[in-house]
Amino acid sequence: MENQSTSLTPTRAHVFISGKVQGVGYRFSTLETAVNINVSGWVKNLPDGKVEAVFEGSNQAVEKIINWCYRGPKSAIVNDVTIKYEQPEGLQSFEIHR
């Protein structure tokens, strides 16, 4: 059985997603997914064609949205996901940054 304290520990992941991830609804789908699984943070498009996101929440929820990032929305083609774990800042909502 999974250790309860580990799965509920606040976690922050800074993620960069590359591939065909702009112009396919990736940010809006990320927002919807994050809200559904109770993850805070933000997502934005980068000038180089990648999507950047920060996810904060329970370890379990953050891992769940990271796994989702490898697929993304239906029309996305994800080539790579780079993850860097950081100290949580206590974000309270999820937003799309421009």
Side-chain angles (χ1 to χ4, degrees), residues 19-54:
K20 184 185 168 201
V21 292
Q22 290 191 13
V24 294
Y26 203 101
R27 290 173 302 156
F28 295 100
S29 295
T30 303
L31 170 68
E32 193 174 73
T33 303
V35 168
N36 284 341
I37 61 176
N38 200 24
V39 170
S40 299
W42 51 265
V43 62
K44 71 177 183 180
N45 284 341
L46 295 176
D48 65 3
K50 291 181 183 150
V51 168
E52 178 183 12
V54 165

Side-chain angles (χ1 to χ4, degrees), residues 59-81:
N59 184 279
Q60 194 174 16
V62 169
E63 290 305 316
K64 195 172 191 177
I65 197 159
I66 288 171
N67 287 337
W68 176 87
C69 285
Y70 284 95
R71 294 186 312 275
K74 231 180 352 202
S75 44
I77 300 167
V78 177
N79 294 337
D80 191 41
V81 177

